[in-house]
Amino acid sequence: MGRPTPCLPADPRTPRAASRGQAPYHPRLPARPAGALVRLAEALPLPLYVVETDGRVRFSSRMARALHPQGLPEVVKRWLENPQACGAPLETGPIPLPMVWQRLQPAGLSCALVVARPAPLLSADGLGSHPWQIALETGRFGFLEFDGSTQRICATSHTLSHLLGLPVTQLSLPYEAWLERLHPDDRPLVAPLLSDPQGWLQGTASLEYRVRHANGHWEWVEQRSLLVAATPEAPRILGLCQLVTSRKYAEIELIRREQQFRTLAENTSDIIARYDLNLRCLYINRSVAHYLALRREDHLGKRAGEKGWPKKVAERFEQECRALVATGQPRQYEHEIELNDRRYVFETRLFPEYDRSGMLTSILSIDREVTETRLALTLLAEENRVMEMITGNQSLAETLEQVCQMIRSQLPHSRVAVLLANEATLQLTLIAQAGLSTALEGALRVLPLSTEDGVGAAAANRQTVVVEDVAASPLWQARQTLAAAEGVCSSWAVPVMTSERGLLGVVALFHGERLTPGASENRLLFRSNHLCAIAIQHDLQQRQLYALATLDGMTGVFNRRHFFETAEREIQRVRRNGMPACAMMMDLDHFKAVNDNFGHACGDLVLRAFADECRRQLRATDLIGRLGGEEFAVLLPDTGLEAAREVAERLRQRVERQPLSTPRGPLHYTVSAGVSALMPGDTSLETLLHRTDGLLYEAKRRGRNQVVADPPPRLR
Ligand SMILES: Nc1nc2c(ncn2[C@@H]2O[C@H](COP(=O)(O)OP(=O)(O)OP(=O)(O)O)[C@@H](O)[C@H]2O)c(=O)[nH]1
C-alpha cells in the first residue's frame, strides 16, 4: 500500500488534536480478536479483513484467505487509497466508533473491512463493547446464543432492539417464545436446530428465516451457527445473524420478474434469448423451434454460429453484441435469413443486462420476424415505382419489367414473364421478364393464343390457368423437354384484362417446385395483374394520343406539323453525319375530277390507297407527310438525287398501273412529283421544299403524271 493512512469517510468527531498541532492519535487494533469472535468472523459469508491505519492487514478471515491468498485485493487497496474515486461502499457502519465497518463492492468484489481510524479514545473492554463486536453490529449483524441447558435464547441488546425492535429489558427468551416470533413457514427449519443442534450442524451451518419485528413486519435473518459448548446435555450455539430482508425481497422480486419474463418469453412468437458475455446462449425460448431444427436445450452453451444460424447472420449478431458491450447501449438491426428455402426478415433488438452492482452480465436478444411487414412495405414501394413509371411515360417494356421484379421481390424463386395479346394474329408476344433463362425466354417469345398451351390457355379462356405438375399436364406437352431442362415444375398464367374484359395480355410464373397459389400469392397476382392492365392501357392511350397529335387521320401518314418537325430534325442529323438527303413533293392529278366523277368517298379511298402505296414503296426511315388536300411530301434521308428520282418514278408507275376498284368501275388516277436534293445552301426544310414544289409545278405544267427532278449537278 503506497500511502500510510487509509482514506476513510470524514468523521464529524475527528479529534481536534490534529488541528491543534498535536500528533494524530492512531489506535491499534487488538492483534487478534477474542476466540468466539474469530470463529464468528470466520463464519461471515464474505471475506473480512482487519486493516491498520498504516494499511497493514492484521487479520483476514478464512474466506478472505481462501479467495485472496495474496493478501488484500488490489481493488480494496485502491479503494483505501482513494475511496472517492472508487465509489461509495455498499454499507458503512455508524460513525461514532473508533473503527469503521465498511462493506465494499469495488469492481464487483464483495468484502468487509474493519479499519482503524483516528479517534480520541479507544474504550474497548469486554465483549459487549469490544470493537469487533461493535464493528460487526454496525454492519447489521447480531448475536444469538442458544442455550440448550436452559432452553433459552440470549441476545445482545443491539440484536434485540436495533434489529428486531424488541425491548432491551428482555435479553433472553424461551425457545418456545422465539419460535413463536418466527414465520410459521420457517419454524420447521429452525426447530431441528433447537432440538438437535449437534445433528443439525453436521448438515449445514447456515439457514434463513423470518422473524416478526416489533412493528409487525417480517425481517429476513441469515444465521450462521457455531457450536461453542458441545456437551449433549448442554449444547450451546452461537448464532451470527445478519438481516438480509432487503436482499431477500430483491431476490424474491428477481425471481418474480424472472418468472414473469419466462411467462412472457414462453408465450410470444418472438425468439427471446439470453447470452453471456462470451456470447454463449444461457436461455432461449421455444419460438426458436419454429425456425431451427436444433432442440431448444441444445442451444444452451453455444454461440450463434454453432446453433445453425447462417454464417453471415452469426457474424452480424456477434458484431452487434461487441458494439453493445463497448457502448452499453441497446442495439437494433434488421437482417434476412434463408431457412428451409424460405426467406425470413428479422428485426433483432439487443439489450444489456446488469447485476445489482451495475456490472454488465448478459445480453438479452429479441428476434421478431417481420417478413410479412417488410414484404408488404417492399411490395408497396415496388407498386409505387411501377405507378411512377406509368405516369412518367416510361416505356411499356421497362414498366412491365418492373412488375416482374415486383413479383420476384415477393416470390424470389419464381421466374416471371409478361406477354402482350394480339387477338388479330392470335398470338402472345413476350414483352418483359425476370429470371428467365435464354432458352425459356426464347421459347416464350411468341406463343399461340390457344387453349392447348399452358400460358396461351389463360388468354384464350380469359381465366387463370394453374399447372401444378408440368410433367403430367397436356398443356405443357409441346414443351416437356424444355421444362425438364429448365427445371420448370409448375406454372401459373393469369390473363390481363381491361375492366370490360378486353384481353390485354398474360402474366406467367414458373416455379422449380410443384406450387399452387395461396391467399397471399393470389393477392400478389391480382395486384401485379392490375398494374399490368393499367400500364398496357396507359400505353395504348398514349399511342392513340400520339397518333392523334402526329398522324393524318385519313391516311395514317404524318400530319403537316409533325412532318415539318421530324423532317427538320432529320435534316440536321444527315447534315451532322455528312450524308445526302432528298425531298419529294407529290400531288394527285385532276383530283377534283375524281371527286366530281366518283364522289368524295371514293376520293378519300384514293387518298388512302395512295398513302398505302407510298408506305410500300418507301423505306421505314423515310418520312411521309400529308401537307393538305391531295398533296404529299416525303423526306428521304441518306439518299442521293438519282435514287430519290427512281423511287418517285417507281411510285408514279405503280399508281398509274393500279386502278382502284370502285362500285362505279375501276378508278384510274395519276400523280405528279418533284424531286430535289438537299443543297449546302438550304438553310431550312422550307427552302428545300420550296424548290421541290417548283419542280412539282413544272411536272404539272409539262402535262402531269411525271417526275421532274433537279438537273444533274454538272448541268446546273
Ligand atoms: N375526297 C377528298 N377530296 C379532297 C380532300 N382534300 C382536298 N380535296 C379535293 O381535292 C381537289 C383539289 O383540286 P385542285 O386543287 O383543283 O387540283 P386538281 O384537281 O388535283 O388539279 P391539279 O392538281 O392541277 O392536277 C379539290 O376538289 C378538293 O376539294 C379530301 O380529303 N378528300
Side-chain angles (χ1 to χ4, degrees):
M1 194 173 296
R3 290 171 46 173
T5 310
C7 298
L8 294 169
D11 175 11
R13 296 193 324 147
T14 298
R16 301 245 162 85
S19 59
R20 289 198 301 268
Q22 297 171 13
Y25 172 76
H26 292 284
R28 290 203 64 76
L29 290 165
R32 272 183 79 76
L37 280 166
V38 166
R39 275 174 287 175
L40 284 170
E42 298 291 22
L44 267 177
L46 72 172
L48 183 137
Y49 297 94
V50 177
V51 185
E52 284 286 3
T53 49
D54 60 3
R56 270 182 302 143
V57 177
R58 295 297 300 229
F59 171 78
S60 49
S61 68
R62 188 185 300 142
M63 186 177 263
R65 293 193 301 276
L67 288 177
H68 309 290
Q70 309 300 333
L72 204 60
E74 275 304 317
V75 284
V76 180
K77 288 180 188 171
R78 281 201 296 278
W79 186 87
L80 284 167
E81 284 173 9
N82 191 356
Q84 277 76 22
C86 299
L90 203 65
E91 287 173 17
T92 299
I95 296 302
L97 292 165
M99 299 182 193
V100 172
W101 161 266
Q102 309 277 359
R103 180 147 174 235
L104 305 180
Q105 265 197 326
L109 171 78
S110 198
C111 75
L113 286 180
V114 176
V115 189
R117 62 178 174 73
L121 275 174
L122 179 62
S123 61
D125 56 340
L127 187 70
S129 60
H130 193 289
W132 275 93
Q133 183 177 344
I134 295 166
L136 292 176
E137 285 181 350
T138 56
R140 293 177 75 70
F141 282 92
F143 298 105
L144 292 175
E145 192 181 322
F146 298 79
D147 189 344
S149 59
T150 59
Q151 295 282 296
R152 292 183 77 84
I153 290 178
C154 302
T156 60
S157 59
H158 163 80
T159 310
L160 293 177
S161 64
H162 277 83
L163 302 191
L164 299 176
L166 298 176
V168 287
T169 47
Q170 189 187 7
L171 290 179
S172 85
L173 65 166
Y175 280 2
E176 287 296 300
W178 175 248
L179 281 174
E180 268 176 28
R181 300 205 72 80
L182 305 190
H183 192 286
D185 290 352
D186 299 337
R187 283 175 204 156
L189 282 176
V190 180
L193 173 69
L194 305 182
S195 57
D196 177 20
Q198 265 174 316
W200 191 87
L201 284 170
Q202 279 168 9
T204 172
S206 168
L207 50 83
E208 286 177 355
Y209 53 84
R210 279 157 287 183
V211 184
R212 186 178 291 287
H213 191 273
N215 68 13
H217 74 269
W218 294 106
E219 285 283 7
W220 273 98
V221 173
E222 184 190 67
Q223 179 181 321
R224 296 201 158 225
S225 309
L226 202 69
L227 206 56
V228 289
T231 58
E233 308 75 44
R236 259 183 74 221
I237 300 165
L238 200 55
L240 171 67
C241 303
Q242 185 181 11
L243 285 195
V244 291
T245 310
S246 51
R247 191 195 82 200
K248 279 306 275 190
Y249 282 129
E251 277 173 13
I252 291 166
E253 179 61 14
L254 208 65
I255 290 167
R256 196 182 63 79
R257 283 201 199 163
E258 186 65 19
Q259 275 167 351
Q260 267 181 355
F261 165 76
R262 299 258 162 156
T263 310
L264 281 174
E266 291 305 322
N267 290 291
T268 173
S269 54
D270 297 346
I271 302 175
I272 299 185
R274 177 172 280 146
Y275 293 87
D276 66 17
L277 298 185
N278 290 319
L279 307 188
R280 295 192 185 283
C281 183
L282 299 171
Y283 163 82
I284 195 155
N285 70 347
R286 61 182 168 206
S287 300
V288 73
H290 184 69
Y291 304 98
L292 289 181
L294 197 65
R295 283 185 317 159
R296 188 178 163 188
E297 53 270 29
D298 293 336
H299 284 262
L300 304 181
K302 293 201 172 80
R303 297 169 72 102
E306 300 162 346
K307 300 197 302 174
W309 293 113
K311 189 164 173 269
K312 265 176 80 173
V313 174
E315 280 174 0
R316 177 76 194 273
F317 172 76
E318 298 201 349
Q319 176 194 336
E320 294 288 341
C321 284
R322 280 195 295 277
L324 177 144
V325 172
T327 62
Q329 294 297 314
R331 310 286 301 175
Q332 181 170 353
Y333 64 99
E334 220 175 86
H335 57 98
E336 285 188 19
I337 306 184
E338 181 110 10
L339 291 168
N340 315 320
D341 280 347
R342 264 204 68 184
R343 193 176 52 143
Y344 295 96
V345 185
F346 281 99
E347 182 188 81
T348 297
R349 278 172 292 160
L350 302 174
F351 299 96
E353 291 188 309
Y354 301 97
D355 66 9
R356 280 195 297 163
S357 66
M359 295 284 288
L360 179 66
T361 52
S362 52
I363 297 170
L364 185 72
S365 136
I366 302 177
D367 290 296
R368 172 162 295 175
E369 197 209 316
V370 291
T371 317
E372 291 294 318
T373 323
R374 289 296 165 266
L375 282 181
L377 285 176
T378 311
L379 183 60
L380 211 61
E382 301 266 6
E383 276 181 334
N384 284 342
R385 172 97 189 93
V386 173
M387 289 310 289
E388 276 169 18
M389 290 177 85
I390 292 172
T391 50
N393 290 328
Q394 287 265 19
S395 80
L396 181 62
E398 283 175 330
T399 308
L400 295 180
E401 199 96 9
Q402 177 63 27
V403 176
C404 295
Q405 295 297 350
M406 182 185 101
I407 295 173
R408 272 174 54 96
S409 77
Q410 307 293 305
L411 301 170
H413 297 297
S414 64
R415 287 161 275 179
V416 190
V418 180
L419 300 99
L420 291 185
N422 186 335
E423 290 190 275
T425 60
L426 292 180
Q427 281 181 334
L428 292 168
T429 320
L430 182 73
I431 180 166
Q433 60 94 3
L436 295 190
S437 67
T438 318
L440 202 52
E441 186 180 352
L444 295 172
R445 197 151 283 145
V446 180
L447 293 179
L449 216 154
S450 146
T451 52
E452 286 164 15
D453 181 272
V455 176
N461 299 331
R462 284 172 163 69
Q463 65 183 34
T464 300
V465 174
V466 173
V467 178
E468 196 187 343
D469 184 6
V470 159
S473 169
L475 293 175
W476 274 83
Q477 211 163 25
R479 286 194 294 270
Q480 280 299 342
T481 320
L482 175 79
E486 294 296 313
V488 175
C489 295
S490 59
S491 70
W492 309 341
V494 190
V496 180
M497 290 185 285
T498 65
S499 49
E500 291 83 28
R501 293 193 59 77
L503 184 66
L504 296 169
V506 173
V507 174
L509 275 74
F510 309 95
H511 311 283
E513 51 191 317
R514 289 168 59 170
L515 286 181
T516 49
S520 64
E521 285 86 4
N522 274 326
R523 268 199 305 277
L524 172 67
L525 289 175
F526 175 79
R527 290 166 77 163
S528 41
N529 222 277
H530 191 57
L531 284 175
C532 283
I534 294 173
I536 297 170
Q537 288 180 98
H538 180 78
D539 184 68
L540 281 174
Q541 283 166 0
Q542 287 301 109
R543 282 170 197 273
Q544 282 165 3
L545 275 176
Y546 182 75
L548 274 176
T550 59
L551 302 182
D552 170 53
M554 179 176 313
T555 60
V557 299
F558 287 168
N559 62 24
R560 184 186 175 90
R561 188 177 52 79
H562 193 61
F563 174 78
F564 271 87
E565 276 174 15
T566 46
E568 197 77 68
R569 278 203 299 274
E570 266 308 284
I571 284 178
Q572 303 305 329
R573 189 186 67 79
V574 296
R575 277 230 164 97
R576 269 201 310 279
N577 297 343
M579 299 297 286
C582 286
M584 195 192 288
M585 294 283 287
M586 295 177 291
D587 189 280
L588 300 185
D589 298 329
H590 302 304
F591 195 62
K592 184 172 181 314
V594 171
N595 275 333
D596 292 348
N597 298 333
F598 289 83
H600 230 81
C602 277
D604 289 350
L605 280 179
V606 169
L607 289 171
R608 285 197 198 99
F610 176 70
D612 289 344
E613 195 56 48
C614 286
R615 275 191 283 263
R616 276 194 289 275
Q617 297 304 322
L618 296 168
R619 291 182 303 197
T621 49
D622 296 338
L623 307 176
I624 322 165
R626 186 183 172 205
L627 301 189
E630 79 290 20
E631 191 180 33
F632 293 82
V634 178
L635 183 77
L636 302 105
D638 309 326
T639 310
L641 182 65
E642 189 46 31
R645 199 197 60 76
E646 278 173 19
V647 171
E649 181 55 28
R650 192 171 65 236
L651 184 61
R652 185 198 65 75
Q653 288 179 19
R654 296 282 298 184
V655 167
E656 184 182 24
R657 288 176 200 156
Q658 280 188 346
L660 196 74
S661 49
T662 72
R664 293 192 191 172
L667 191 165
H668 290 271
Y669 69 101
T670 59
V671 63
S672 299
V675 179
S676 183
L678 180 68
M679 306 270 196
D682 289 336
T683 50
S684 67
L685 175 69
E686 202 79 49
T687 328
L688 171 63
L689 289 185
H690 183 72
R691 192 169 60 251
T692 314
D693 198 41
L695 296 168
L696 169 62
Y697 179 78
E698 181 58 20
K700 292 271 183 185
R701 197 187 61 77
R702 288 182 193 174
R704 298 180 173 79
N705 190 22
Q706 56 189 281
V707 174
V708 175
D710 280 332
R714 65 178 181 281
L715 300 178
R716 282 179 207 160

